[in-house]
Amino acid sequence: QNGVMSGLMQMLLLKVSAHITEQLGMAPGGEFREAFKEASKVPFCKFHLGDRPIPVTFKRAIAALSFWQKVKLAWGLCFLSDPISKDDVEKCKQKDLLEQMMAEMIGEFPDLHRTIVSERDIYLTYMLKQAAKQIELPRASENEPRKYIPAVVVGVVGMGHVPGIEKNWNSDLKIQEIMSVPPPSASSKIFKFVLKATVFGLLGYGCYRIGHRTVQFVLSMPATQSYLQRLTEVPQ
């Protein structure tokens, strides 16, 4: 169920992305594409995608929402048509407004904020800390002491993740828990069973009605009636 809902949510988010692209004349995520281009120009530069895999994030987000929250979120994404200007984007860069938007999201969808923002803050922080570890220099022999040099890391993240990264930087982070997808709840299993039973029931009833009408139509044809009449005639 989470897989289907995750797929539907991705389709809705693609619709939102298309809406933003149409309004602004540019696709979201341009800063990440530019970062990749610039990194490719630096000799010996390694480029890492440090965000949590999208399927994991979507499945955890969907699993965290109740049925009505899913309906409410899908409805809002389906009918998103508010105009967006470049000035609006610039306003979102202001820290106070950004914090206000985050607070509104927490108030309306607290579990969605936790899975899409807070958990990814932890994951991004963990990946940045892994990348920032000191680099061991090669040794000429086993007896030579180990030498390290600091790593030079440039992290490109969304503005909404900066406060969370700063908050989690000095923490001992474990990402195993936020990488797992929780199993569907009992209510979700019941809903899935009822939905399947309803769909198959409607399909079966539809096939029955179509078959019944088809048989009636065929039997009402003159050629069919003539053929049946010949079959029922008893030879003298």
Side-chain angles (χ1 to χ4, degrees):
Q1 181 192 13
N2 291 341
V4 174
M5 292 297 297
S6 176
L8 293 174
M9 194 60 64
Q10 289 190 48
M11 292 175 62
L12 291 175
L13 290 177
L14 285 174
K15 176 181 178 295
V16 174
S17 177
H19 172 69
I20 295 174
T21 303
E22 181 182 0
Q23 292 287 317
L24 300 179
M26 58 182 180
E31 65 273 27
F32 302 112
R33 289 187 289 273
E34 286 299 319
F36 176 76
K37 291 179 183 178
E38 293 301 319
S40 62
K41 299 176 183 178
V42 180
F44 308 108
C45 178
K46 294 182 179 180
F47 185 86
H48 294 281
L49 297 175
D51 203 350
R52 185 171 62 178
I54 292 178
V56 175
T57 298
F58 276 166
K59 288 179 180 179
R60 285 186 62 84
I62 294 301
L65 295 176
S66 66
F67 173 76
W68 293 113
Q69 284 178 322
K70 293 173 186 175
V71 172
K72 184 178 181 181
L73 179 63
W75 181 269
L77 293 176
C78 280
F79 295 96
L80 178 67
S81 59
D82 296 336
I84 303 172
S85 66
K86 293 184 179 180
D87 291 336
D88 294 330
V89 176
E90 292 299 321
K91 290 178 182 178
C92 290
K93 295 180 181 179
Q94 300 175 11
K95 184 177 180 181
D96 293 340
L97 182 59
L98 186 64
E99 290 178 351
Q100 179 183 347
M101 293 170 63
M102 287 294 182
E104 291 176 357
M105 183 180 180
I106 294 173
E108 193 167 5
F109 297 103
D111 293 324
L112 192 66
H113 179 273
R114 173 177 56 81
T115 53
I116 291 184
V117 180
S118 300
E119 290 183 358
R120 287 173 61 218
D121 289 345
I122 295 173
Y123 190 90
L124 288 167
T125 307
Y126 177 84
M127 296 302 290
L128 283 170
K129 291 179 71 173
Q130 292 297 310
K133 286 184 176 180
Q134 290 185 327
I135 302 172
E136 182 180 355
L137 295 176
R139 294 182 295 168
S141 65
E142 292 293 333
N143 297 326
E144 186 178 345
R146 298 178 184 272
K147 295 181 181 180
Y148 299 88
I149 59 172
V152 179
V153 180
V154 177
V156 181
V157 299
M159 287 188 62
H161 292 291
V162 174
I165 292 174
E166 293 176 347
K167 175 184 175 182
N168 292 304
W169 188 259
N170 294 320
S171 303
D172 184 20
L173 303 175
K174 306 293 183 183
I175 64 170
Q176 289 80 7
E177 182 180 350
I178 62 173
M179 289 299 293
S180 62
V181 179
S185 62
S187 59
S188 297
K189 292 180 179 179
I190 294 173
F191 174 76
K192 184 178 180 180
F193 174 78
V194 172
L195 181 62
K196 281 186 175 180
T198 303
V199 170
F200 284 116
L202 290 174
L203 285 175
Y205 180 73
C207 291
Y208 165 76
R209 294 290 297 176
I210 293 173
H212 183 67
R213 289 178 179 272
T214 302
V215 171
Q216 285 185 329
F217 174 74
V218 172
L219 291 177
S220 65
M221 295 175 63
T224 305
Q225 292 181 356
S226 176
Y227 178 74
L228 292 175
Q229 186 176 3
R230 288 199 302 270
L231 289 178
T232 56
E233 288 179 353
V234 180
Q236 299 295 331

